[in-house]
Amino acid sequence: MDHLTETNLTAETLEYPVCSEWKENPEGSMFHLAHILLILGFMGGSGFYGLLYMFSFLTLGFFCYSMWAWSDPCTTDSFSWTFALFAFCLAQVVHVSYRLRRVTFDKEFQDLYDHMFKKLGVSLTHFGKIVECCEGDVYTLDKDHCFAVEGKTSIDKLSVLISGRIRVTVNGEFLHCIYPFQFLDSPEWDSLRPSEEGVFQVTLRADNRCRYVAWRRKKLYLLFAQHRYIAKIFALLVRNDIAEKLFSLNDKAFDIRGFRYDLRLPSFCHGPEPEIKNTSESRPVLGLSKTKPAERDS
């Protein structure tokens, strides 16, 4: 009999408690506010700003949840967990803010990133390494000053124009202009191997006050060796810049009839073959006979 009673009591204990009646009053406003903040936090995106948005709302949400759990005197588990999650999210906010501060740039470098690197999907972290390679310096070139002189200036850096306009000439003849967010020396950079040295074959003169960013050649190659991804990005940018310069030259090339040349045609890329002198040595001898014309007729 005693054994049967103990079995019934154990079964009643293991049964899920049935709610006898609904609460007349809902939970406090802190409880609902915490869940609203958590929902907004879980809607955060990727990237530095997305992480900062997500962890900020999660921090506020878990803080409100902790305040609500503190009001329940029957248990400390809910308060302990929610407060621990609040502390973790707060630490993430501080960490992301610190990393975001490290990848915040001046206006000129931010414009450079927006115009050239952002469209290729380069992260702010990788761009920060590119900025560190040039030591965050932006140089000024006054009007009518030369960035490079034909046959004299050595090729020891890679530069991008930030503002202004540069005129390119060779032997005093105008070739084309360089505009903001174009490389100043991409053809020269691409024409040399890392171990080679050379000088400019054109003259670059400022039409107005210019600002540009320059990377030293040795330091940039060292960065390429450490980060192959950055090397591929620069190779793509440099070759695309060279193609744009070639097509700008193609716009000024016309034949005698006024038609524009096409760079894809072999006749534009190759000059005419040298003429062969009309001599007996150059003419092939085909079936030459020693007989006289009269003998052949007979």
Side-chain angles (χ1 to χ4, degrees):
M1 185 65 180
D2 294 339
H3 179 70
L4 183 59
T5 304
E6 291 178 359
T7 304
N8 293 334
L9 291 175
T10 304
E12 292 177 358
T13 304
L14 295 176
E15 289 181 358
Y16 191 81
V18 179
C19 179
S20 59
E21 59 180 357
W22 292 98
K23 286 186 177 181
E24 296 181 359
N25 299 323
E27 298 292 344
S29 59
M30 193 68 70
F31 177 84
H32 298 287
L33 178 61
H35 283 82
I36 293 174
L37 293 173
L38 291 177
I39 291 174
L40 293 175
F42 288 128
M43 293 172 62
S46 59
F48 285 104
Y49 293 102
L51 291 175
L52 188 62
Y53 169 89
M54 180 180 68
F55 284 115
S56 297
F57 276 99
L58 291 181
T59 301
L60 296 175
F62 284 120
F63 177 76
C64 294
Y65 218 136
S66 301
M67 294 299 99
W68 174 83
W70 180 259
S71 63
D72 187 2
C74 297
T75 179
T76 59
D77 295 340
S78 58
F79 172 78
S80 300
W81 273 107
T82 52
F83 189 81
L85 292 172
F86 158 73
F88 174 77
C89 292
L90 182 60
Q92 288 295 320
V93 170
V94 175
H95 176 66
V96 173
S97 300
Y98 174 74
R99 293 182 60 190
L100 185 61
R101 182 181 178 183
R102 293 184 58 188
V103 295
T104 302
F105 311 104
D106 296 336
K107 183 180 183 303
E108 290 172 316
F109 282 104
Q110 188 64 43
D111 293 341
L112 177 65
Y113 174 77
D114 293 337
H115 284 83
M116 297 184 65
F117 294 91
K118 186 177 181 179
K119 59 185 178 182
L120 298 179
V122 179
S123 64
L124 291 174
T125 304
H126 284 101
F127 184 70
K129 298 182 183 298
I130 296 172
V131 174
E132 289 178 2
C133 184
C134 69
E135 299 179 355
D137 295 330
V138 181
Y139 302 93
T140 302
L141 188 65
D142 293 328
K143 182 179 179 180
D144 294 331
H145 285 211
C146 289
F147 174 82
V149 178
E150 179 182 352
K152 296 182 179 180
T153 306
S154 60
I155 305 170
D156 58 355
K157 55 182 175 291
L158 180 65
S159 307
V160 176
L161 187 65
I162 301 297
S163 62
R165 186 178 63 187
I166 299 289
R167 178 180 293 267
V168 183
T169 59
V170 56
N171 296 326
E173 182 180 353
F174 172 75
L175 291 180
H176 61 88
C177 285
I178 299 176
Y179 298 98
F181 306 108
Q182 291 183 341
F183 285 97
L184 295 174
D185 43 9
S186 54
E188 290 77 13
W189 172 272
D190 196 60
S191 64
L192 295 179
R193 295 179 180 179
S195 59
E196 295 178 344
E197 296 182 358
V199 294
F200 279 82
Q201 302 300 316
V202 293
T203 298
L204 282 72
R205 186 186 300 272
D207 276 350
N208 45 34
R209 188 174 183 271
C210 301
R211 299 271 290 173
Y212 67 93
V213 177
W215 292 272
R216 290 294 172 182
R217 191 178 177 197
K218 293 182 179 180
K219 294 187 65 175
L220 195 55
Y221 276 124
L222 181 60
L223 180 66
F224 292 167
Q226 296 174 349
H227 303 278
R228 299 300 301 169
Y229 172 74
I230 297 178
K232 294 179 181 179
I233 291 296
F234 267 89
L236 178 62
L237 290 173
V238 167
R239 291 165 186 174
N240 181 69
D241 186 80
I242 294 174
E244 291 180 355
K245 288 181 171 61
L246 287 175
F247 277 101
S248 67
L249 291 174
N250 186 43
D251 291 337
K252 303 178 180 62
F254 295 90
D255 60 10
I256 57 177
R257 296 175 297 174
F259 294 102
R260 181 178 287 111
Y261 282 110
D262 192 341
L263 288 175
R264 297 170 296 178
L265 299 179
S267 59
F268 183 77
C269 300
H270 303 281
E273 296 181 357
E275 296 182 358
I276 301 177
K277 294 182 180 180
N278 188 13
T279 59
S280 60
E281 296 178 355
S282 62
R283 292 196 303 267
V285 179
L286 300 176
L288 183 60
S289 176
K290 296 182 179 180
T291 56
K292 295 180 181 180
E295 295 177 353
R296 291 198 302 268
D297 294 340
S298 62

